[in-house]
Amino acid sequence: MKICLIIPVHNEIQHIGALVESIKIEGLDRLVIDDGSSDESGAAASSRGAIVLTNEMKKGKGRSLQLGFEYAQSHHYDGVITMDGDGQHDPKDLKQFLALIEKYPCSVITGNRMGAHKGMPFIRVITNWSMSWLISQICRQKIPDTQCGYRYIGREILEKLRLTSKDFEIESEVLIQASQLGYKIYSVPISTIYRNEKSKINPFKDTLRFFAYLMREWRKSRK
């Protein structure tokens, strides 16, 4: 299979070069979306062999992933794997994804951090558990970690998604739309590396955006 690995970044000069360098798997092209970085994140990724697309101004994770999905479809990839550029996703776990992709190429496969969340901030654990329960109810299938950005999406699903989310709520939008289209969502256990970096998720602003998205979905379902 021909798979595109998509990594959206915003000011990740400390991590992105080493991350791109560490991912050298045959059949896995590396695409970095530089989301209006003020540092040299894009140049660092390009120098290590990644394809780089650039948003001149910051547009958000959702818009960046949509740009990556469009690229993958126009270049005839069989699917995409997305991962964060801040060093919290371990490239070693790609082998687990690839093994499951061989069995279920037309699916969504999410990373699951909740089986081994040691080191994850307590508030993040509670938030992930609660949101995962809620999204699982909406999707009508159990998804233990709905907020994990480390995931695979098959080409057939990508072609049918109609994504509108600008930022982090895209993680939920993909799962809900894929479930509504009748696709199965699988999970694979992954490790997560937590350091002392400040989270780019704004607890107040992004939570409001998340619930606003859910309200929009609820209203659609009522029509």
Side-chain angles (χ1 to χ4, degrees), residues 59-142:
K59 295 185 177 181
K61 184 177 184 180
R63 294 295 190 222
S64 295
L65 284 176
Q66 289 172 47
L67 179 61
F69 296 162
E70 290 168 4
Y71 177 92
Q73 291 178 73
S74 66
H75 287 76
H76 310 293
Y77 285 93
D78 298 307
V80 301
I81 295 176
T82 65
M83 66 188 301
D84 294 343
D86 58 5
Q88 289 190 1
H89 293 157
D90 193 338
K92 293 179 182 177
D93 289 324
L94 284 168
K95 292 181 180 179
Q96 298 186 80
F97 275 96
L98 294 172
L100 202 54
I101 289 166
E102 286 189 10
K103 293 177 64 177
Y104 308 111
C106 188
S107 69
V108 176
I109 301 171
T110 66
N112 177 17
R113 303 162 293 177
M114 305 312 291
H117 54 74
K118 183 179 180 181
M120 182 183 289
F122 179 71
I123 186 63
R124 183 78 67 84
V125 174
I126 297 301
T127 300
N128 283 356
W129 272 340
S130 59
M131 287 187 172
S132 295
W133 179 85
L134 179 58
I135 298 299
S136 293
Q137 302 308 304
I138 296 172
C139 292
R140 298 184 179 182
Q141 51 183 316
K142 185 176 181 180

Side-chain angles (χ1 to χ4, degrees), residues 6-13 16 31-43 45 51-68 85 165-168 170 200:
I6 302 175
I7 310 173
V9 298
H10 176 71
N11 293 342
E12 295 293 353
I13 188 66
I16 189 60
L31 172 66
V32 169
I33 311 298
D34 183 359
D35 189 25
S37 296
S38 58
D39 62 13
E40 296 297 319
S41 293
I51 303 161
V52 177
L53 302 180
T54 303
N55 294 328
E56 294 302 326
M57 298 179 63
K58 189 175 187 298
K59 295 185 177 181
K61 184 177 184 180
R63 294 295 190 222
S64 295
L65 284 176
Q66 289 172 47
L67 179 61
S165 295
K166 296 179 181 179
D167 223 317
F168 295 99
I170 195 171
K200 293 184 178 180

Side-chain angles (χ1 to χ4, degrees), residues 78 160 162:
D78 298 307
K160 295 180 180 179
R162 297 296 178 264

Side-chain angles (χ1 to χ4, degrees), residues 203-217:
F204 180 72
K205 182 179 179 182
D206 288 307
T207 298
L208 283 180
R209 185 184 289 115
F210 171 77
F211 282 108
Y213 164 70
L214 289 185
M215 285 300 296
R216 291 196 302 272
E217 288 299 314

